[in-house]
PDB file of all heavy atoms in Angstrom:
ATOM      1  N   LEU B  51     182.049  34.225 -15.684  1.00  0.00           N
ATOM      2  CA  LEU B  51     183.039  33.831 -16.695  1.00  0.00           C
ATOM      3  C   LEU B  51     183.541  35.043 -17.477  1.00  0.00           C
ATOM      4  O   LEU B  51     184.704  35.101 -17.880  1.00  0.00           O
ATOM      5  CB  LEU B  51     182.432  32.796 -17.648  1.00  0.00           C
ATOM      6  CG  LEU B  51     183.352  32.303 -18.767  1.00  0.00           C
ATOM      7  CD1 LEU B  51     184.619  31.672 -18.198  1.00  0.00           C
ATOM      8  CD2 LEU B  51     182.645  31.318 -19.677  1.00  0.00           C
ATOM      9  N   ALA B  54     186.817  36.590 -16.298  1.00  0.00           N
ATOM     10  CA  ALA B  54     188.042  35.932 -16.756  1.00  0.00           C
ATOM     11  C   ALA B  54     188.178  36.030 -18.270  1.00  0.00           C
ATOM     12  O   ALA B  54     189.206  36.447 -18.791  1.00  0.00           O
ATOM     13  CB  ALA B  54     188.043  34.465 -16.323  1.00  0.00           C
ATOM     14  N   LEU B  55     187.104  35.670 -18.982  1.00  0.00           N
ATOM     15  CA  LEU B  55     187.186  35.556 -20.436  1.00  0.00           C
ATOM     16  C   LEU B  55     187.092  36.915 -21.118  1.00  0.00           C
ATOM     17  O   LEU B  55     187.883  37.236 -21.997  1.00  0.00           O
ATOM     18  CB  LEU B  55     186.082  34.622 -20.936  1.00  0.00           C
ATOM     19  CG  LEU B  55     186.187  34.106 -22.378  1.00  0.00           C
ATOM     20  CD1 LEU B  55     185.452  32.807 -22.522  1.00  0.00           C
ATOM     21  CD2 LEU B  55     185.656  35.112 -23.384  1.00  0.00           C
ATOM     22  N   GLY B  59     190.683  37.909 -21.033  1.00  0.00           N
ATOM     23  CA  GLY B  59     191.066  37.102 -22.185  1.00  0.00           C
ATOM     24  C   GLY B  59     191.437  35.668 -21.820  1.00  0.00           C
ATOM     25  O   GLY B  59     192.101  34.983 -22.589  1.00  0.00           O
ATOM     26  N   LEU B  60     191.009  35.213 -20.635  1.00  0.00           N
ATOM     27  CA  LEU B  60     191.335  33.855 -20.191  1.00  0.00           C
ATOM     28  C   LEU B  60     190.199  32.930 -20.590  1.00  0.00           C
ATOM     29  O   LEU B  60     189.154  32.906 -19.948  1.00  0.00           O
ATOM     30  CB  LEU B  60     191.513  33.821 -18.672  1.00  0.00           C
ATOM     31  CG  LEU B  60     192.522  34.825 -18.109  1.00  0.00           C
ATOM     32  CD1 LEU B  60     192.415  34.895 -16.588  1.00  0.00           C
ATOM     33  CD2 LEU B  60     193.928  34.435 -18.525  1.00  0.00           C
ATOM     34  N   VAL B  61     190.391  32.191 -21.666  1.00  0.00           N
ATOM     35  CA  VAL B  61     189.326  31.336 -22.170  1.00  0.00           C
ATOM     36  C   VAL B  61     189.299  30.060 -21.331  1.00  0.00           C
ATOM     37  O   VAL B  61     189.918  29.062 -21.653  1.00  0.00           O
ATOM     38  CB  VAL B  61     189.530  31.000 -23.664  1.00  0.00           C
ATOM     39  CG1 VAL B  61     188.344  30.199 -24.183  1.00  0.00           C
ATOM     40  CG2 VAL B  61     189.692  32.272 -24.464  1.00  0.00           C
ATOM     41  N   SER B  62     188.542  30.131 -20.225  1.00  0.00           N
ATOM     42  CA  SER B  62     188.417  28.968 -19.356  1.00  0.00           C
ATOM     43  C   SER B  62     187.360  28.040 -19.938  1.00  0.00           C
ATOM     44  O   SER B  62     186.213  28.419 -20.098  1.00  0.00           O
ATOM     45  CB  SER B  62     188.018  29.404 -17.948  1.00  0.00           C
ATOM     46  OG  SER B  62     187.576  28.285 -17.215  1.00  0.00           O
ATOM     47  N   PHE B  63     187.780  26.821 -20.233  1.00  0.00           N
ATOM     48  CA  PHE B  63     186.850  25.823 -20.738  1.00  0.00           C
ATOM     49  C   PHE B  63     186.510  24.868 -19.597  1.00  0.00           C
ATOM     50  O   PHE B  63     186.160  23.719 -19.827  1.00  0.00           O
ATOM     51  CB  PHE B  63     187.498  25.071 -21.909  1.00  0.00           C
ATOM     52  CG  PHE B  63     186.534  24.357 -22.819  1.00  0.00           C
ATOM     53  CD1 PHE B  63     185.159  24.578 -22.747  1.00  0.00           C
ATOM     54  CD2 PHE B  63     186.987  23.465 -23.769  1.00  0.00           C
ATOM     55  CE1 PHE B  63     184.282  23.924 -23.584  1.00  0.00           C
ATOM     56  CE2 PHE B  63     186.117  22.804 -24.617  1.00  0.00           C
ATOM     57  CZ  PHE B  63     184.756  23.038 -24.520  1.00  0.00           C
ATOM     58  N   GLY B  64     186.607  25.395 -18.370  1.00  0.00           N
ATOM     59  CA  GLY B  64     186.347  24.540 -17.217  1.00  0.00           C
ATOM     60  C   GLY B  64     185.448  25.198 -16.181  1.00  0.00           C
ATOM     61  O   GLY B  64     185.404  24.768 -15.031  1.00  0.00           O
ATOM     62  N   GLY B 126     196.897  30.347 -24.040  1.00  0.00           N
ATOM     63  CA  GLY B 126     196.373  29.918 -25.328  1.00  0.00           C
ATOM     64  C   GLY B 126     195.646  28.580 -25.242  1.00  0.00           C
ATOM     65  O   GLY B 126     194.883  28.322 -24.323  1.00  0.00           O
ATOM     66  N   PHE B 129     195.986  26.575 -22.029  1.00  0.00           N
ATOM     67  CA  PHE B 129     195.142  27.025 -20.923  1.00  0.00           C
ATOM     68  C   PHE B 129     193.730  26.457 -21.078  1.00  0.00           C
ATOM     69  O   PHE B 129     193.140  25.952 -20.127  1.00  0.00           O
ATOM     70  CB  PHE B 129     195.094  28.559 -20.879  1.00  0.00           C
ATOM     71  CG  PHE B 129     194.230  29.092 -19.778  1.00  0.00           C
ATOM     72  CD1 PHE B 129     194.696  29.148 -18.474  1.00  0.00           C
ATOM     73  CD2 PHE B 129     192.939  29.522 -20.039  1.00  0.00           C
ATOM     74  CE1 PHE B 129     193.893  29.622 -17.449  1.00  0.00           C
ATOM     75  CE2 PHE B 129     192.126  30.000 -19.023  1.00  0.00           C
ATOM     76  CZ  PHE B 129     192.612  30.050 -17.725  1.00  0.00           C
ATOM     77  N   ILE B 130     193.208  26.492 -22.279  1.00  0.00           N
ATOM     78  CA  ILE B 130     191.876  25.951 -22.555  1.00  0.00           C
ATOM     79  C   ILE B 130     191.833  24.471 -22.165  1.00  0.00           C
ATOM     80  O   ILE B 130     190.921  24.013 -21.470  1.00  0.00           O
ATOM     81  CB  ILE B 130     191.525  26.116 -24.052  1.00  0.00           C
ATOM     82  CG1 ILE B 130     191.463  27.594 -24.425  1.00  0.00           C
ATOM     83  CG2 ILE B 130     190.221  25.405 -24.398  1.00  0.00           C
ATOM     84  CD1 ILE B 130     191.212  27.864 -25.896  1.00  0.00           C
ATOM     85  N   THR B 133     192.234  23.780 -18.219  1.00  0.00           N
ATOM     86  CA  THR B 133     191.029  24.076 -17.435  1.00  0.00           C
ATOM     87  C   THR B 133     189.969  23.008 -17.719  1.00  0.00           C
ATOM     88  O   THR B 133     189.262  22.570 -16.811  1.00  0.00           O
ATOM     89  CB  THR B 133     190.485  25.477 -17.765  1.00  0.00           C
ATOM     90  OG1 THR B 133     190.435  25.653 -19.182  1.00  0.00           O
ATOM     91  CG2 THR B 133     191.359  26.566 -17.168  1.00  0.00           C
ATOM     92  N   ILE B 262     180.560  29.719 -22.539  1.00  0.00           N
ATOM     93  CA  ILE B 262     181.377  30.470 -23.504  1.00  0.00           C
ATOM     94  C   ILE B 262     180.494  30.958 -24.655  1.00  0.00           C
ATOM     95  O   ILE B 262     180.595  32.108 -25.093  1.00  0.00           O
ATOM     96  CB  ILE B 262     182.536  29.595 -24.039  1.00  0.00           C
ATOM     97  CG1 ILE B 262     183.508  29.273 -22.907  1.00  0.00           C
ATOM     98  CG2 ILE B 262     183.266  30.302 -25.174  1.00  0.00           C
ATOM     99  CD1 ILE B 262     184.640  28.334 -23.300  1.00  0.00           C
TER     100      ILE B 262
END
Side-chain angles (χ1 to χ4, degrees):
Chain B
L51 179 59
L55 194 155
L60 306 169
V61 184
S62 165
F63 200 12
F129 179 79
I130 297 176
T133 47
I262 294 176

